[in-house]
């Protein structure tokens, strides 16, 4: 190609947004296909979001959190995957896998590059004419404030949902007073090994709002603290009632580490280190005269004052920088329309994840994909190996290998999304009726070409 020639679209890089586990895996799969990736990471290092929960242990072992294409890139450096049967923390994952992978990718990864917008070149979202023939323009802002525009053949958004946690308010909006009480409200599992964080919760009364694995983790950690520091107590705030499966699959969980965590949360309640308040949908936060907080429910109930509130109500995708792109998203989950029915916690009490790849992740706008946690929108419990399979399929499709793109082969635990049947007004129906629901006897779903294998009845 001569110096003055203009590159064709297929000579442009594929922009990957986010240098987390799925974004870096996407880059590895693109390289394997002979396609140039450019990974844009807003933070200063690989796995910036993962490092924010460095103290939290994953449910998946090392054998399930390292992507095969990434391992091939790492192998010449002498990198050896840690014991596949052990469970890394977020910090382990970032330091022992994500950063080495990003280092191998070298200049392919740019740090301090925040994506502020994506569009078709010369076309806002209204214009139809010649749209698919135009490359993407990706607007970024560097750490020093400098702005830049990059041209790309395709965009893979693996930016995750960590930056947009769900609020305290039960209607999806911040509770009244939530913002003004920000000094006593946090939105992540606290690292109680950090002396400053430990001092914040030791001897205090803390409300934990949420019903998922993060809430289990916080309750378990606070219960451990309560055994060492008198006066430490947790109040578990649940929007639903308590059923046999409120604490997850327990010993029957296909993800043993998650099952064990649920049992620890249950023990925290049974041992008196935490009390549970059910059917409580927070409407407002009021500050008492001594600075403590009072949570007020939509039905008028008022809880006893608490010193701190930990909000663990899930996450949601930031779609603001994609406003000029034509996305096809489910109106409830904000996930791709073809994927949403497979992961919708309003329907699935166990989250059977059927085969999905490029076809389920496609949008009306050609060659843009949301992957990883972001592809799940507001649905819970995403597994890393699901994301690795997503980007393998997408890289194949971008390379023009449609047969490989549609050949999705993966084995997932059927308990991949245990979010309940959506009937939160009926405690008995909240998790499928029977104790444990169908999550009480999980099966493994073999995902491959054709119909799924028989499951446990979900």
């Amino acid at each position: 190609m001569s110096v003055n020639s203009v590159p064709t679209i297929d000579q442009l890089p594929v922009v990957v947004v986010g240098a987390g586990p799925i974004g870096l895996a996407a880059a590895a799969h693109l390289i394997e296909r002979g396609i140039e990736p450019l990974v844009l990471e807003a933070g200063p290092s690989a796995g910036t979001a993962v490092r924010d929960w460095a103290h939290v242990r994953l449910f998946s072992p090392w054998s399930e959190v390292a992507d095969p294409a990434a391992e091939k890139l790492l192998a010449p450096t002498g990198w050896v995957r840690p014991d596949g049967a052990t469970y890394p923390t977020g910090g382990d994952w970032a330091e022992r896998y994500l950063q080495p992978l990003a280092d191998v990718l070298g200049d392919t990864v740019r740090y301090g590059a925040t994506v502020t917008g994506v569009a078709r070149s010369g076309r806002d979202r209204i214009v139809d004419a010649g749209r698919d023939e135009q490359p993407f323009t990706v607007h970024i802002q560097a750490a020093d404030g400098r702005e830049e525009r990059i041209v790309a053949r395709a965009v893979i958004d693996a930016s995750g949902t960590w930056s947009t946690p769900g609020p305290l308010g039960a209607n999806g909006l911040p509770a009244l007073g939530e913002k003004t009480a920000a000094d006593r409200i946090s939105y992540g599992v606290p690292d109680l090994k950090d002396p400053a964080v430990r001092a914040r919760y030791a001897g205090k009364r803390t409300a934990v709002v949420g019903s998922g694995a993060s809430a289990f983790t916080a309750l378990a950690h606070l219960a451990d603290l309560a055994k060492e520091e008198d006066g430490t107590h947790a109040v578990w705030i649940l929007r639903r009632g308590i059923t046999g499966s409120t604490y997850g699959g327990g010993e029957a969980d296909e993800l043993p580490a998650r099952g064990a965590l649920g049992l620890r949360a249950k023990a925290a309640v049974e041992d008196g280190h935490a009390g549970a308040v059910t059917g409580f949908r927070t409407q407002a936060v009021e500050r008492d005269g001594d600075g403590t907080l009072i949570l007020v429910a939509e039905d008028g109930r008022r809880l006893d004052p608490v010193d701190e509130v930990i909000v663990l109500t899930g996450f949601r995708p930031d779609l603001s920088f994609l406003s000029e792109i034509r996305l096809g998203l489910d109106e409830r989950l904000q996930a791709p329309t073809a994927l949403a029915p497979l992961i919708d916690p309003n329907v699935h009490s166990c989250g059977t994840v059927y085969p999905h790849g490029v076809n389920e992740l496609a949008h009306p706008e050609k060659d843009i994909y949301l992957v990883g946690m972001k592809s799940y929108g507001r649905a819970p419990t995403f597994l890393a190996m699901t994301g690795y399979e997503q980007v393998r399929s997408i890289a194949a499709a971008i390379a023009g290998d449609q047969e490989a793109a549609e050949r999705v082969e993966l084995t997932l635990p059927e308990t991949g999304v245990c979010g309940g049947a959506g009937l939160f007004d009926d405690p008995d129906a909240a998790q499928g009726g029977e104790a444990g629901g169908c999550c009480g006897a999980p099966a493994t779903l073999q995902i491959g070409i054709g119909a799924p294998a028989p499951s446990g009845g979900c």
Side-chain angles (χ1 to χ4, degrees), residues 322-336:
L322 300 174
S323 62
E324 294 306 317
I325 293 297
R326 298 175 179 180
L327 299 177
L329 299 175
D330 179 77
E331 66 274 12
R332 294 161 298 176
L333 296 186
Q334 295 178 297

Side-chain angles (χ1 to χ4, degrees), residues 15-41:
V15 163
V16 179
V17 185
I22 311 306
L24 294 175
H29 282 280
L30 289 167
I31 289 172
E32 191 171 59
R33 288 280 179 173
I35 299 170
E36 178 190 356
L38 176 60
V39 182
L40 302 176
E41 167 58 44

Side-chain angles (χ1 to χ4, degrees), residues 74-88:
L74 285 164
T77 70
W79 183 87
V80 178
R81 187 180 66 196
D83 181 357
T86 61
Y87 294 82

Side-chain angles (χ1 to χ4, degrees), residues 27-209:
H29 282 280
L30 289 167
I31 289 172
E32 191 171 59
R33 288 280 179 173
I35 299 170
E36 178 190 356
L38 176 60
V39 182
L40 302 176
E41 167 58 44
S45 60
T48 299
V50 173
R51 294 172 192 272
D52 281 349
W53 46 271
H55 57 291
V56 178
R57 195 165 297 281
L58 279 69
F59 299 133
S60 300
W62 271 112
S63 61
E64 297 176 1
V65 298
D67 174 77
E71 290 194 60
K72 290 180 184 177
L73 284 181
L74 285 164
T77 70
W79 183 87
V80 178
R81 187 180 66 196
D83 181 357
T86 61
Y87 294 82
T89 63
D92 295 334
W93 203 17
E95 290 297 333
R96 301 177 67 183
Y97 169 66
L98 298 178
Q99 194 61 57
L101 176 55
D103 292 344
V104 167
L105 291 168
D107 292 342
T108 294
V109 182
R110 290 182 55 180
Y111 301 110
T114 300
V115 175
T116 58
V118 179
R120 285 286 185 182
S121 181
R123 310 287 193 276
D124 63 20
R125 67 182 297 153
I126 299 175
V127 178
D128 290 333
R131 189 174 191 87
D132 287 352
E133 289 72 43
Q134 298 301 314
F136 290 96
T137 54
V138 180
H139 290 228
I140 66 173
Q141 184 171 32
D144 61 4
R146 178 177 49 85
E147 294 181 310
E148 185 180 348
R149 188 174 81 162
I150 294 171
V151 184
R153 65 183 287 187
V155 175
I156 299 174
D157 182 358
S159 59
T161 57
W162 180 254
S163 63
T164 48
L168 176 59
N171 63 356
L173 299 174
L176 299 178
E178 181 173 349
K179 294 179 180 179
T180 57
D183 60 319
R184 290 181 179 249
I185 300 177
S186 63
Y187 298 86
V189 176
D191 181 5
L192 298 181
K193 292 182 180 179
D194 182 317
V197 176
R198 181 184 178 91
R200 178 173 178 174
Y201 297 99
K204 305 290 181 61
R205 180 177 166 86
T206 300
V208 177
V209 184

Side-chain angles (χ1 to χ4, degrees), residues 192 194-195 197-205 221-234 272-273:
L192 298 181
D194 182 317
V197 176
R198 181 184 178 91
R200 178 173 178 174
Y201 297 99
K204 305 290 181 61
R205 180 177 166 86
H221 289 182
L222 288 170
D224 290 342
L225 183 61
K227 296 171 186 176
E228 302 173 5
E229 298 284 351
D230 291 341
T232 304
H233 189 75
H273 299 307

